[in-house]
């Protein structure tokens, strides 16, 4: 099957960063085979189906480099809380009561939400394994919706004293053994969905956990992701336990490398940034979550200046309340401008790079996805800019980063298959997914006791 996306305003994200007006893209099977004029492509591919993209922007599918899909069921329950309470009173207990059915429904909804906001690759960090079958539940949701990405087998090996529920704590050997088993099951060459491994963070994982992770990733050539320097608490625990920052510690034990995707890095010092660059370790930047949980403003401009690869992310919806990368793009720009009181510190174009080609590099897929170029996978997003928010329009990148709400995405293709067409999600019944998600969200809140946050009193002042 061939498809021509015809007459679009094309944001290619190729090496020359060409933005082409009235351009067309031809897809055959799962690959982009040509970028040219409509006339030329119609002549060369006469049997191709035409998707008319006049008045539309076509851009590469976005890469969300960090989320916890199961938290899709927890939107709004943790609002306006300090992080410790957010974790011990809501997210932790919800994790304890999560079933694989909940995880599956949450992931289905999270994937649909992502597709609707132009995301074609997701990195899920799944650290709840109180019952068997959690990874399978999430992988199946990727399969059903057509999503591309990584389902990372997370784990927690300590942290009882900090309020981590006992049920979530696992022996590192057990977690790594399970991760290896899942990798061997799913990580076939060229698979659209791959399993990675994800030690949670410095105060919740012991040294053995990190060392075993490194060994596993080396043996299985798998993606590693972990939280780094998200809050000052991480730095305090790292300092008291190891006498150094978490970045320094992870470097010293040989954990860091180009296959490590470090989420947050809010409190990385200049020395830490140099270490990240030295190891070519990648960063997942979660601007909405960092603000929501009051973690701080990460030194993204400093990382970019140092040559560190940074991808964009939503984080789990318990701390960002949706999976919109449109919101993440706008916040990524605004947080830096406001914090530095410098409007030039980051540009709309750079933010677009973080969301696409840099995100692809962050997960090691820059040769396959992240731009519209001949030979790459056909992961494409069509945006209808004929609406009140994006019009009048002068520059498509500016309109997407600063003006769009995200619901302007009309059509999404992943791996050459339509996963949404003219506003209709293709592979699953979206209404049914949403209905099920609400049922599971209500039930999980009731079982975990966090339904008290649903009927919270009106609180004009801080709690
Ligand atoms: Zn996270």
């Amino acid at each position: 099957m061939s498809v021509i996306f015809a007459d679009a305003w094309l944001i290619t994200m190729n090496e020359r960063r060409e933005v082409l007006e009235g351009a067309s893209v031809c897809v055959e099977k799962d690959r982009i085979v040509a970028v040219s004029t409509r006339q030329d492509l119609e002549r060369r591919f006469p049997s191709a189906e035409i998707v008319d993209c006049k008045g539309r922007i076509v851009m590469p599918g976005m890469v969300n480099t960090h989320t916890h899909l199961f938290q899709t069921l927890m939107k709004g329950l943790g609002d306006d809380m300090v992080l410790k309470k957010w974790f011990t009173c809501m997210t932790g207990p919800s994790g304890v009561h999560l079933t694989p059915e909940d995880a599956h429904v949450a992931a289905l909804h999270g994937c649909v939400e992502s597709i609707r906001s132009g995301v074609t690759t997701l990195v899920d960090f799944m650290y709840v394994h109180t019952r068997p079958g959690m990874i399978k539940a999430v992988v199946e949701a990727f399969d059903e919706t057509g999503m591309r990405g990584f389902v990372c087998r997370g784990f927690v090996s300590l942290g009882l004293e900090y309020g981590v529920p006992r049920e979530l704590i696992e022996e590192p050997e057990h977690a790594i053994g399970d991760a290896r088993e899942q990798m061997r099951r799913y990580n076939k060459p060229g698979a659209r969905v791959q399993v990675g491994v994800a030690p949670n963070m410095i105060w919740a994982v012991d040294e053995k956990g990190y060392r075993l992770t490194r060994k596993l990733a080396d043996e299985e050539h798998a993606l590693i992701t972990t939280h780094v320097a998200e809050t000052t608490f991480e730095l305090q625990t790292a300092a008291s336990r190891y006498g150094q920052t978490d970045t320094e510690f992870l470097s010293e034990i040989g954990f860091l490398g180009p296959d490590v995707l470090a989420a947050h890095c809010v409190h990385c010092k200049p020395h830490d940034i140099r270490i990240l660059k030295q190891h070519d370790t990648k960063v997942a930047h979660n601007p909405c979550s960092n603000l929501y949980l009051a973690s701080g403003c990460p030194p993204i401009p400093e990382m970019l200046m140092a040559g560190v690869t940074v991808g964009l992310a939503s984080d789990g919806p318990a701390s960002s309340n949706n999976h919109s990368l449109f919101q993440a793009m706008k916040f990524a720009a605004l947080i830096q401008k406001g914090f530095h009181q410098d409007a030039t510190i980051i540009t709309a174009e750079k933010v677009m790079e973080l969301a696409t080609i840099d995100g692809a590099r962050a997960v090691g897929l820059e040769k396959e996805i992240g731009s519209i170029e001949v030979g790459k996978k056909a992961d494409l997003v069509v945006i209808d800019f004929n609406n009140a928010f994006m019009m009048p329009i002068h520059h498509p990148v500016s309109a997407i980063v600063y003006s769009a709400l995200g619901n302007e995405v009309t059509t999404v293709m992943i791996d050459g298959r339509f996963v949404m067409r003219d506003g209709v999600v293709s592979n699953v019944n979206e209404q049914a997914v949403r209905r099920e998600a609400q049922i599971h969200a209500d039930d999980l809140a009731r079982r975990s006791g966090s339904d008290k946050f649903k009927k919270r009193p009106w609180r004009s002042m801080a709690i």
Side-chain angles (χ1 to χ4, degrees):
M1 187 191 85
S2 323
V3 178
I4 296 172
F5 293 83
D7 290 327
W9 209 347
L10 196 66
I11 302 174
T12 64
M13 302 310 292
N14 64 15
E15 256 175 50
R16 290 192 287 152
R17 300 288 188 264
E18 286 175 299
V19 177
L20 307 168
E21 278 193 81
S24 302
V25 184
C26 185
V27 170
E28 267 190 335
K29 295 192 182 129
D30 58 334
R31 301 271 170 187
I32 295 164
V33 293
V35 178
S36 186
T37 61
R38 178 177 188 154
Q39 207 184 12
D40 180 45
L41 295 183
E42 280 183 341
R43 187 180 52 75
R44 286 163 61 193
F45 306 94
S47 61
E49 182 192 345
I50 307 289
V51 177
D52 187 14
C53 293
K54 238 188 171 59
R56 314 253 154 135
I57 296 165
V58 175
M59 65 176 278
M62 290 190 270
V63 181
N64 185 348
T65 55
H66 185 73
T67 183
H68 309 279
L69 283 167
F70 75 94
Q71 294 179 4
T72 304
L73 302 182
M74 296 161 210
K75 289 180 181 179
L77 292 176
D79 293 348
D80 316 315
M81 289 181 196
V82 292
L83 184 92
K84 192 159 195 308
K85 186 175 176 191
W86 173 87
F87 186 73
T88 54
C89 296
M90 198 284 283
T91 322
S94 301
V96 170
H97 288 87
L98 192 85
T99 65
E101 293 73 31
D102 294 326
H104 181 245
V105 170
L108 274 178
H109 190 284
C111 286
V112 167
E113 201 184 339
S114 300
I115 288 168
R116 280 213 167 277
S117 82
V119 169
T120 54
T121 299
L122 270 179
V123 178
D124 185 48
F125 189 131
M126 181 50 171
Y127 58 83
V128 175
H129 299 281
T130 46
R131 297 163 179 83
M134 294 293 191
I135 294 296
K136 180 168 177 274
V138 182
V139 170
E140 284 177 357
F142 275 56
D143 278 342
E144 286 165 57
T145 53
M147 180 56 70
R148 180 189 304 286
F150 298 83
V151 178
C152 298
R153 203 295 186 188
F155 66 94
V156 171
S157 66
L158 45 85
L160 215 51
E161 67 272 42
Y162 308 123
V164 176
R166 186 180 298 278
E167 294 90 333
L168 295 187
I169 297 174
E170 298 178 82
E171 282 298 323
E173 287 88 348
H174 175 263
I176 294 297
D178 183 46
R180 187 188 303 276
E181 209 174 290
Q182 308 293 341
M183 286 171 186
R184 296 207 167 147
R185 181 170 308 154
Y186 295 110
N187 292 5
K188 311 291 179 222
R192 201 183 69 243
V193 186
Q194 304 257 346
V195 172
V197 58
N200 216 317
M201 59 194 91
I202 199 82
W203 54 268
V205 173
D206 55 10
E207 185 175 334
K208 186 165 67 175
Y210 285 112
R211 287 186 183 277
L212 289 174
T213 299
R214 169 43 65 204
K215 188 163 173 288
L216 173 69
D218 286 345
E219 288 165 2
E220 301 291 328
H221 308 290
L223 179 77
I224 299 175
T225 188
T226 186
H227 297 104
V228 172
E230 180 178 3
T231 64
T232 47
F233 183 64
E234 262 131 299
L235 292 197
Q236 284 158 15
T237 38
S240 66
R241 204 175 291 165
Y242 306 113
Q244 51 196 162
T245 67
D246 50 354
T247 312
E248 288 166 339
F249 170 73
L250 294 175
S251 170
E252 203 173 283
I253 64 167
F255 175 82
L256 294 182
D259 52 355
V260 177
L261 177 56
H264 302 300
C265 299
V266 175
H267 297 282
C268 277
K269 309 270 187 289
H271 182 235
D272 297 323
I273 294 172
R274 280 196 294 277
I275 290 172
L276 293 174
K277 172 61 188 164
Q278 245 168 40
H279 294 282
D280 193 20
T281 291
K282 318 298 197 293
V283 172
H285 172 36
N286 303 260
C288 296
S289 169
N290 295 159
L291 292 172
Y292 179 96
L293 290 173
S295 304
C297 176
I300 301 298
E302 291 84 343
M303 290 178 199
L304 298 176
M305 290 282 282
V308 174
T309 298
V310 178
L312 201 58
S314 62
D315 207 351
S319 67
S320 67
N321 297 25
N322 66 31
H323 277 110
S324 170
L325 269 209
F326 281 80
Q327 284 192 354
M329 281 193 286
K330 187 163 182 171
F331 275 84
L334 300 189
I335 183 178
Q336 299 300 336
K337 291 171 193 286
F339 183 79
H340 293 277
Q341 296 185 28
D342 179 358
T344 68
I345 194 105
I346 192 162
T347 60
E349 286 88 341
K350 185 63 218 176
V351 171
M352 177 62 77
E353 290 177 2
L354 302 186
T356 55
I357 188 67
D358 291 356
R361 192 170 294 117
V363 298
L365 288 179
E366 71 276 15
K367 291 200 173 73
E368 291 285 73
I369 59 168
S371 63
I372 300 179
E373 290 177 275
V374 172
K376 280 207 168 174
K377 288 279 191 184
D379 288 8
L380 302 170
V381 171
V382 182
I383 296 167
D384 180 359
F385 58 79
N386 185 17
N387 58 73
F389 294 93
M390 295 179 77
M391 294 274 281
I393 185 165
H394 296 293
H395 193 286
V397 175
S398 168
I400 288 171
V401 173
Y402 294 132
S403 305
L405 299 184
N407 56 3
E408 301 86 348
V409 173
T410 59
T411 295
V412 179
M413 179 176 263
I414 301 178
D415 217 32
R417 287 170 64 211
F418 287 106
V419 294
M420 182 164 87
R421 185 117 196 226
D422 298 324
V424 180
V425 171
S426 315
N427 300 326
V428 291
N429 179 336
E430 187 179 5
Q431 290 298 333
V433 167
R434 203 174 297 156
R435 209 167 38 239
E436 281 294 298
Q438 186 65 54
I439 292 168
H440 281 259
D442 287 336
D443 200 48
L444 178 63
R446 187 183 50 73
R447 296 196 316 270
S448 61
S450 46
D451 54 353
K452 60 178 176 285
F453 300 117
K454 291 166 69 163
K455 299 185 196 82
R456 66 195 191 197
W458 189 268
R459 46 191 201 210
S460 301
M461 300 294 279
I463 45 169

